[in-house]
Amino acid sequence: MSLVDVLALEALRVRYPSVHDLLPVAVDLLTGTTSIYQRNGEQTPHENAFVEDFTRLLDGHAKSVIRMLFPAAERLFGGSAYGSDRVPTWERDRRVACSKVLDYYLHRQLPAGRAPIWCIDHVADAIGDETALTEALDQVPDPLLDDVLKRLVPYLRDVSEDQVLPTATALMRQLPRVQLGSTGMLSPGGEWSVLSPVKALLRTLSEDSIDRTVSGLCNGPESLYGKALLLSMTAGGSSEQGLISEESARSMRQGLCSLLRAARPKDLASERMLLRTVVVATADTDDPPTLESLSDARVVASLLESAISPVHSQTMGSVAVRTEKQLVWASLVNVFGDETGLAEAVASLRQSLDDGTVESNEELAAALALYEKYSAGWRPPF
């Protein structure tokens, strides 16, 4: 924690104990940021009561204390409003303006999945050195990796241009350790714990060097899905400007296609996110390349498994989140040319399952069950 904050809070505890006692029940008010749409809204009765108590107990020093320790709450006292973009900086500087830091000060216990600050420092100190950063990240326990990667982002905004490629390469090496796909209503795919810091690094580059750096970075991940994720993140799309030029994106896509063609079936079968990788590699082409490996039952099994997409839904007014498995049907059909081609591939896969050439598992069984529903004409209602 920031030494200035610790000293100020201890002074508050000794001089104004009643105010210090308010902190545990006012964390949300003291550290809550606002969106641009909320900044002109009226204060709630709860907020008004808090301001009144805080002002009365501090004998006129409330605004000074708020300005020093809890800038996000200045809006309640007629001051500035702060958005969520400031939170990572407060967290990096270990300021109690960040709710997680204030919680630690108040309770002296890290929540589950929260890495200790020495772990963050150890990783941050290795930024710029590919080998050292890889070793530091490898030492982070799996349950803490997501937190470490997210908290690393503020440290990456000031790196020099020559540090971007080695740092991003070390980060991409962590992809095999993260859970892929969304786990909740508003949660991004787990791969974004790696891709977010990489994207933050790439945004520090000039236009003259970003194509070269991304091309070099694409040569780093051994996995095809790692290259596909990097390509889809940097190439942009119909509604988003890409980080790299169209020419560079086309070259990377052609390279990925070539690797897919050359890959052995057993290697393709072990790839994560195989369907997405094939879709990314063949996007924006009038004549998608034919992959001979698609006739291999192991590859068909991997494509079916990776076609499962969890869809989360929530009834208005309810906190319960429902998760339903669906197939990315259109992409699956396109990869095999049409529904007939897909049906033939699935029939061959079932034969391989029967004769033991391919082993079944829970995910494959679920994908085949969904295939039966879709092939019979069923489609999800949303």
Side-chain angles (χ1 to χ4, degrees):
M1 280 181 56
S2 163
L3 179 59
V4 172
D5 284 6
V6 171
L7 293 176
L9 286 168
E10 287 304 290
L12 199 64
R13 183 181 63 83
V14 173
R15 183 77 181 275
Y16 300 101
S18 296
V19 174
H20 193 275
D21 291 343
L22 277 179
L23 300 183
V25 296
V27 172
D28 290 344
L29 294 174
L30 292 168
T31 62
T33 56
T34 61
S35 71
I36 191 171
Y37 304 105
Q38 297 173 304
R39 294 179 186 178
N40 295 322
E42 293 184 3
Q43 291 180 194
T44 66
H46 178 50
E47 291 172 336
N48 287 331
F50 166 72
V51 170
E52 183 179 333
D53 289 343
F54 212 70
T55 302
R56 174 175 52 81
L57 293 171
L58 274 169
D59 298 330
H61 300 296
K63 289 185 178 181
S64 299
V65 171
I66 290 294
R67 190 178 303 114
M68 175 184 293
L69 293 172
F70 308 111
E74 284 188 52
R75 63 184 180 83
L76 301 178
F77 294 82
S80 302
Y82 291 87
S84 59
D85 57 309
R86 297 296 294 271
V87 175
T89 300
W90 292 332
E91 184 175 16
R92 179 197 63 188
D93 297 340
R94 303 163 206 176
R95 301 296 310 277
V96 291
C98 170
S99 62
K100 294 175 182 177
V101 179
L102 179 57
D103 278 335
Y104 180 72
Y105 167 79
L106 294 170
H107 306 295
R108 296 296 193 275
Q109 184 175 358
L110 291 172
R114 180 76 170 174
I117 193 62
W118 63 261
C119 182
I120 306 298
D121 287 343
H122 179 57
V123 174
D125 287 344
I127 288 173
D129 185 324
E130 181 181 337
T131 301
L133 183 55
T134 299
E135 292 176 354
L137 288 169
D138 287 345
Q139 292 170 13
V140 176
D142 286 351
L144 302 182
L145 181 62
D146 184 77
D147 181 60
V148 169
L149 291 172
K150 287 177 180 176
R151 291 165 65 186
L152 201 62
V153 172
Y155 294 85
L156 301 174
R157 292 170 181 154
D158 299 321
V159 299
S160 60
E161 192 164 292
D162 63 332
Q163 291 180 314
V164 171
L165 182 56
T167 301
T169 301
L171 289 170
M172 291 293 288
R173 287 204 180 101
Q174 302 304 310
L175 272 174
R177 298 177 60 190
V178 303
Q179 179 179 347
L180 303 179
S182 173
T183 57
M185 276 291 293
L186 301 177
S187 63
E191 59 272 16
W192 277 98
S193 61
V194 171
L195 297 180
S196 290
V198 170
K199 194 170 188 177
L201 279 167
L202 295 177
R203 288 191 181 281
T204 67
L205 295 173
S206 64
E207 291 185 10
D208 296 335
S209 60
I210 192 166
D211 279 17
R212 182 176 65 255
T213 301
V214 173
S215 178
L217 184 57
C218 192
N219 294 326
E222 296 180 1
S223 64
L224 297 179
Y225 79 91
K227 299 178 190 295
L229 286 172
L230 180 64
L231 176 57
S232 57
M233 178 184 72
T234 57
S238 57
S239 60
E240 182 183 9
Q241 177 68 36
L243 296 177
I244 58 177
S245 66
E246 292 184 9
E247 181 181 353
S248 182
R250 191 179 306 111
S251 175
M252 288 173 60
R253 189 168 283 114
Q254 290 171 349
L256 183 56
C257 278
S258 297
L259 291 172
L260 277 170
R261 285 198 192 96
R264 297 176 300 178
K266 71 172 186 177
D267 293 330
L268 284 181
S270 63
E271 277 283 334
R272 302 170 85 187
M273 305 178 70
L274 181 58
L275 179 61
R276 180 173 176 180
T277 300
V278 173
V279 169
V280 170
T282 57
D284 303 325
T285 56
D286 296 328
D287 184 24
T290 301
L291 303 178
E292 295 181 7
S293 297
L294 293 184
S295 60
D296 189 285
R298 294 167 296 178
V299 176
V300 175
S302 182
L303 285 166
L304 276 172
E305 290 174 18
S306 59
I308 293 180
S309 175
V311 177
H312 310 288
S313 60
Q314 190 173 24
T315 303
M316 186 174 295
S318 172
V319 296
V321 175
R322 297 185 302 276
T323 300
E324 178 185 4
K325 289 184 177 180
Q326 298 181 3
L327 283 183
V328 189
W329 182 253
S331 296
L332 200 56
V333 170
N334 287 339
V335 165
F336 287 93
D338 52 33
E339 292 193 17
T340 300
L342 175 57
E344 292 173 353
V346 171
S348 176
L349 169 60
R350 290 191 185 280
Q351 180 62 43
S352 296
L353 287 168
D354 290 340
D355 62 26
T357 307
V358 174
E359 292 186 9
S360 185
N361 57 57
E362 184 177 344
E363 200 74 2
L364 179 56
L368 286 170
L370 283 170
Y371 167 78
E372 290 301 327
K373 293 176 64 176
Y374 277 77
S375 61
W378 178 88
R379 296 295 183 271
F382 54 88

